[in-house]
Amino acid sequence: MSLFCAISNEVPEHPCVSPVSNQVFERRLIEKYIVENGTDPMNGQPLSEEQLIDIKVSHPIRPKAPSATSIPAILKSLQDEWDAVMLHSFTLRQQLQTTRQELSHALYQHDAACRVIARLTKEVTAAREALATLKPQAGLVVAQAISAQPSVTVSDWLEGYSIALFDACFKPSLRLHFSPCLTRFRFLYQGLHSASVPGILSLDLCPADTNKVLTGGADKNVVVFDKKEEQIVATLKGHTKKVTSVIFHPSQSVVFSASPDSTIRVWSVTGGNCVQVIRAHEAGVTGLSLHATGDYLLSSSEDQYWAFSDIQTGRVLTKVTDEAAGCALTCAQFHPDGLIFGTGTADSQIKIWDLKERTNVANFPGHTGPVTSIAFSENGYYLATGAQDSSVKLWDLRKLKNFKTITLDNNYEVKSLVFDQSGTYLAVGGTDIRVYICKQWSEVLNFTEHTGVVTGVAFGEHAQFLTSTGMDRSLKFYSL
């Protein structure tokens, strides 16, 4: 039951009652009347503001005005309410998206911190073991050296040390390139692949033992080479066309390779045979990347699809294309967290995909030539991309923008990009090899020893050395 003001005949917002006439009034109206007349409007008897008694009622629901009862007025009212609800929903979605981005950044920072802590812990343990081993040996060697050659100079000792190291460590059959600077040994291995079809097209190092090198060649073969033993561990044959991508499994004696023959092969290194053939594409496979769990493979192809496959069963779990783009994929790489990945296209686009939703979540335009290589930094913040426009672009994944472009020489062919495990250096392989220090993005090293285009570069453990392969059929090691 609603109360009505005796003056306005409307539902009062602040109702009060007059003890003189026992009528209900809107306090604002009755106070104004009392100020002007000093009497009750109903019976004319004297009345003051102090005599008014407030009535406590629940929030009144005002009846709609007669003009609001028509069908157009009702429809407009419903439209206004709908617009208000949609605006509120949009605001909530914006807040949710902002919260998700903040949470994602926090998770990336936590993930990167955990990886850095784990790596530093491992390095500290290794350093302690090396120090414990080195102390007694160092004392013995110094004592022997002093007693045997008391007058030896530092320069003579360095020269003798270099010769002894050369004689002790390298076989006569090894072709060695030696630089006068002791911190720049250059090792050259040839003969890993056939000379009739020259060219090593892909390279990877074993994460567990960076002395193990994996190469794929234009001769259709996959070769596993042991740098420490200086010998070929396995030559894996089975592809019918050149091998353009190779990957070492981080914990198993298994390697993966991809080829323009439309197949992905899983090889057993110990058995020297192919244990699985994954047929995920109808055209040549252009990119290969292993998931962080080590159980799944990401592949890209000229058939415009990327595929996600199980390495144990060889089954293709999902296969997706961007129908709006309609162009070949040229490379693919997983983000360190394994939840997103990037692909490069023949029309200069870099696309970021959400693996779980199988959707394209971001695009990075800017190159003017087909994308040839992409690489994520270990902390997950940066993406490096190279293309046939003779440039390398650095992208901030937190802000989704290009913050640095490294312009190379004209006609420079960018074939390979890789960050070291600590995220300190970025190596670019192509016409030559260039090493950049991250954050400053300035060039610190340049190697021009290859006589052909460099097709692959990789950092050794703790960036102690750099490995490269090229179209000149050579595998080179540089001490950093």
Side-chain angles (χ1 to χ4, degrees):
M1 179 177 178
S2 299
L3 301 176
F4 293 91
C5 175
I7 298 176
S8 64
N9 202 30
E10 293 183 357
V11 178
E13 292 184 2
H14 302 285
C16 61
V17 64
S18 169
V20 176
S21 62
N22 296 324
Q23 294 292 324
V24 176
F25 298 97
E26 171 67 54
R27 175 171 279 277
R28 175 178 52 83
L29 297 178
I30 189 63
E31 287 178 348
K32 184 177 181 181
Y33 187 88
I34 293 173
V35 170
E36 294 177 354
N37 303 288
T39 61
D40 188 297
M42 295 293 102
N43 54 22
Q45 294 183 14
L47 179 65
S48 64
E49 294 182 11
E50 290 77 11
Q51 291 179 277
L52 297 175
I53 302 172
D54 288 327
I55 302 174
K56 293 183 178 181
V57 294
S58 59
H59 184 70
I61 301 176
R62 291 178 173 274
K64 293 183 178 179
S67 61
T69 58
S70 64
I71 292 178
I74 293 173
L75 292 177
K76 184 179 183 305
S77 177
L78 292 174
Q79 183 65 50
D80 291 343
E81 292 181 7
W82 173 262
D83 291 344
V85 171
M86 290 299 101
L87 182 60
H88 182 63
S89 177
F90 175 73
T91 304
L92 289 178
R93 284 202 302 268
Q94 281 188 322
Q95 293 175 351
L96 176 61
Q97 182 67 20
T98 302
T99 304
R100 281 180 173 174
Q101 289 180 349
E102 292 175 354
L103 178 60
S104 176
H105 294 165
L107 290 175
Y108 284 151
Q109 290 175 350
H110 177 268
D111 201 26
C114 289
R115 285 196 292 269
V116 170
I117 292 171
R119 188 182 72 249
L120 291 177
T121 303
K122 181 179 178 182
E123 292 178 1
V124 168
T125 304
R128 286 175 176 172
E129 293 178 353
L131 183 61
T133 306
L134 182 64
K135 279 183 178 180
Q137 294 181 351
L140 180 60
V141 171
V142 170
Q144 291 177 348
I146 292 175
S147 60
Q149 298 181 356
S151 61
V152 69
T153 65
V154 174
S155 59
D156 292 338
W157 184 85
L158 286 176
E159 183 180 357
Y161 174 79
S162 301
I163 297 172
L165 184 65
F166 175 78
D167 293 337
C169 296
F170 308 110
K171 295 180 178 179
S173 60
L174 173 64
R175 292 179 56 190
L176 173 67
H177 286 223
F178 181 81
S179 170
C181 177
L182 287 176
T183 59
R184 294 283 178 84
F185 290 102
R186 294 181 175 88
F187 308 97
L188 167 64
Y189 297 94
Q190 287 185 320
L192 302 183
H193 290 267
S194 171
S196 59
V197 187
I200 300 177
L201 306 179
S202 50
L203 166 72
D204 193 28
L205 297 181
C206 179
D209 181 6
T210 52
N211 286 310
K212 300 287 180 60
V213 184
L214 180 65
T215 60
D219 61 355
K220 311 173 188 178
N221 294 339
V222 179
V223 173
V224 182
F225 180 77
D226 192 317
K227 171 178 172 286
K228 187 176 181 180
E229 300 296 331
E230 302 171 21
Q231 63 182 5
I232 295 175
V233 176
T235 300
L236 310 172
K237 300 181 179 182
H239 282 291
T240 58
K241 293 184 179 181
K242 59 186 179 181
V243 180
T244 53
S245 299
V246 290
I247 298 178
F248 246 118
H249 195 284
S251 58
Q252 301 177 20
S253 184
V254 172
V255 298
F256 310 93
S257 62
S259 167
D261 64 7
S262 306
T263 65
I264 302 166
R265 292 180 179 265
V266 184
W267 308 86
S268 170
V269 177
T270 54
N273 62 312
C274 178
V275 296
Q276 198 72 252
V277 178
I278 302 175
R279 303 183 185 276
H281 300 282
E282 302 297 328
V285 183
T286 57
L288 208 58
S289 183
L290 186 64
H291 192 262
T293 61
D295 298 327
Y296 307 99
L297 272 177
L298 170 69
S299 57
S300 60
S301 171
E302 295 175 350
D303 64 4
Q304 305 176 16
Y305 282 84
W306 61 262
F308 188 63
S309 308
D310 188 324
I311 65 173
Q312 300 298 330
T313 62
R315 188 164 63 93
V316 179
L317 302 179
T318 187
K319 189 175 177 182
V320 178
T321 185
D322 186 355
E323 297 179 355
C327 63
L329 301 183
T330 55
C331 53
Q333 184 68 43
F334 266 119
H335 187 272
D337 67 6
L339 299 178
I340 61 174
F341 61 89
T343 59
T345 67
D347 65 348
S348 313
Q349 296 293 312
I350 295 98
K351 298 179 179 291
I352 305 299
W353 298 80
D354 185 305
L355 179 60
K356 184 177 180 181
E357 301 296 332
R358 300 183 293 279
T359 55
N360 178 207
V361 294
N363 293 312
F364 294 144
H367 283 291
T368 58
V371 179
T372 55
S373 181
I374 61 177
F376 289 96
S377 64
E378 178 64 19
N379 62 10
Y381 292 166
Y382 304 126
L383 170 66
T385 61
Q388 291 184 11
D389 55 6
S390 301
S391 70
V392 175
K393 291 184 178 292
L394 284 305
W395 309 84
D396 191 323
L397 296 178
R398 296 164 293 181
K399 300 178 181 178
L400 299 179
K401 69 176 184 179
N402 171 230
F403 66 91
K404 177 70 176 180
T405 298
I406 301 174
T407 303
L408 304 170
D409 306 332
N410 290 334
N411 301 320
Y412 189 100
E413 299 182 58
V414 180
K415 295 295 185 181
S416 179
L417 296 171
V418 64
F419 286 92
D420 76 303
Q421 189 181 19
S422 67
T424 305
Y425 302 105
L426 170 67
V428 180
T431 304
D432 56 18
I433 302 171
R434 304 185 183 189
V435 180
Y436 296 86
I437 187 167
C438 297
K439 296 185 178 179
Q440 287 84 18
W441 307 110
S442 57
E443 183 179 326
V444 292
L445 289 172
N446 183 280
F447 301 111
T448 58
E449 280 76 5
H450 280 282
T451 58
V453 174
V454 178
T455 55
V457 287
F459 282 102
E461 187 176 9
H462 310 316
Q464 293 178 347
F465 65 88
L466 181 71
T467 310
S468 65
T469 54
M471 294 303 295
D472 56 1
R473 292 178 52 245
S474 65
L475 169 66
K476 295 179 183 289
F477 293 87
Y478 308 87
S479 178
L480 303 181

